[in-house]
Amino acid sequence: MENPPTLAIAYHSGRGHTDVLAQAVRAGAEAAGAEVNMVTVEAMDDTKWETLDAADAIVFGAPTYMGSASGQFHMFAASTNKRWGRQAWKDKLGSGFTIGACKAGDKDSTLGYFATLGHQHGMIWVSLGLLPGWHLSHESENDLNRLGYFNGAAGTLPGDLPADEIHKADIATAEHLGRRVTEQTAIYLAGRAALANR
């Protein structure tokens, strides 16, 4: 791409599991042509805020703890209020990803929380854009979106297993999310440029 979209991944990882998905989102986005910046949200500074402000799209990520995103992510979200007040992130594209130990485990609550945060900032939310996998008898747990989420990408792994055992389908689903956000951001930017030049 002549002017590649810039994508920031703003996330918290408690024990490394969310980081695996964040790196997969990054890989998918870079494969689709994005310039990607990783922003860990638990220790924000001016440089990290400037990275988020300059990005064309922001993808939020956190583990699902007790029915929502981790406390560290919630603290970050609360600290975005100055951006909210001046609508600094309005019309950026956004999406999200999460992982939790239970196959259901309220991950949709976390993805919905990310979407609400994005909507409060005036962002344009990008869905996963996949039908559910593994929901018919002839389908497989190796399918993309095997857990059947739509607001973003989700993964699951028993809580006593290390991050390097995250299911390959969940990693591939996160890669798909990175590609989709990049592609939709490129379309949006091209359309905005075309309207400006009419």
Side-chain angles (χ1 to χ4, degrees):
M1 295 181 194
E2 185 175 338
N3 294 303
T6 57
L7 188 148
I9 302 174
Y11 73 104
H12 167 249
S13 185
R15 297 188 298 124
H17 300 76
T18 309
D19 185 63
V20 169
L21 294 188
Q23 298 301 331
V25 173
R26 176 183 192 164
E30 288 180 340
E35 293 181 1
V36 181
N37 292 295
M38 309 297 280
V39 176
T40 52
V41 301
E42 55 268 33
M44 293 298 292
D45 57 27
D46 288 345
T47 299
K48 289 182 177 182
W49 284 118
E50 289 165 8
T51 297
L52 296 180
D53 293 345
D56 298 314
I58 302 173
V59 181
F60 300 124
T64 294
Y65 293 157
M66 304 305 291
S68 187
S70 60
Q72 291 89 335
F73 189 91
H74 276 270
M75 289 178 66
F76 157 74
S79 69
T80 66
N81 63 331
K82 292 181 181 177
R83 269 82 191 156
W84 171 80
R86 64 176 190 267
Q87 293 284 273
W89 295 353
K90 185 176 182 180
D91 295 335
K92 292 183 186 297
L93 277 73
S95 196
F97 61 95
T98 189
I99 187 166
C102 298
K103 283 189 178 179
D106 296 321
K107 289 185 284 295
D108 199 50
S109 296
T110 302
L111 295 174
Y113 168 71
F114 292 153
T116 298
L117 175 64
H119 294 154
Q120 287 180 336
H121 280 280
M123 297 169 73
I124 300 165
W125 202 251
V126 180
S127 69
L128 185 59
L130 289 173
L131 292 171
W134 201 24
H135 78 299
L136 297 174
S137 62
H138 65 274
E139 295 177 337
S140 160
E141 67 174 329
N142 296 312
D143 294 339
L144 289 177
N145 197 21
R146 71 188 184 113
L147 301 178
Y149 289 91
F150 302 97
N151 257 345
T156 188
L157 185 74
D160 59 344
L161 293 181
D164 61 4
E165 293 194 35
I166 293 174
H167 199 286
K168 63 182 181 180
D170 296 342
I171 293 171
T173 300
E175 290 175 351
H176 170 86
L177 180 69
R179 286 192 300 274
R180 177 165 165 79
V181 172
T182 299
E183 290 164 357
Q184 294 304 308
T185 303
I187 291 168
Y188 176 79
L189 294 174
R192 189 163 66 183
L195 286 173
N197 292 325
R198 285 201 318 188

